Amino acid sequence: MEPKFRQEARRFTGSTGSEFELVAAGASGSLAYTAGFEHSSAVVDGIPAVYTMRTTHVYRNKGGVWRIIHRHSDLLADQGRRGRTP
């Protein structure tokens, strides 16, 4: 794992909840995607935070098993860098 990702991961000391709100999905052959909003609550830098990310997953079916092959998420613009505190 890259040092930057290790450093970022250390900021999160606990997840207190997560829910995925599906907005769109599709599949063709062995590829599929989902897009939606990921609502999460966690402890970041010792501070409880609640935030929503716009998230897209791309899946590939190999041997009858669907696996995520790409994920992209970003915070909604009005939440700033660290999300909202409850």
Side-chain angles (χ1 to χ4, degrees):
M1 187 184 303
E2 295 292 325
K4 179 181 181 192
F5 294 121
R6 288 182 198 274
Q7 179 181 353
E8 191 69 19
R10 282 193 291 269
R11 297 179 57 223
F12 291 80
T13 56
S15 173
T16 56
S18 181
E19 179 181 316
F20 188 76
E21 177 185 345
L22 183 65
V23 174
S28 179
S30 64
L31 293 175
Y33 76 94
T34 57
F37 297 104
E38 194 173 278
H39 307 286
S40 300
S41 56
V43 178
V44 184
D45 296 330
I47 301 167
V50 176
Y51 52 92
T52 299
M53 294 187 295
R54 203 175 15 235
T55 301
T56 301
H57 293 122
V58 178
Y59 306 84
R60 172 171 282 150
N61 188 323
K62 187 172 182 182
V65 177
W66 287 97
R67 298 182 189 264
I68 294 175
I69 60 169
H70 179 75
R71 170 189 164 90
H72 176 82
S73 293
D74 55 37
L75 285 173
L76 298 181
D78 65 341
Q79 294 185 95
R81 173 83 171 97
R82 294 181 58 195
R84 303 181 316 268
T85 53

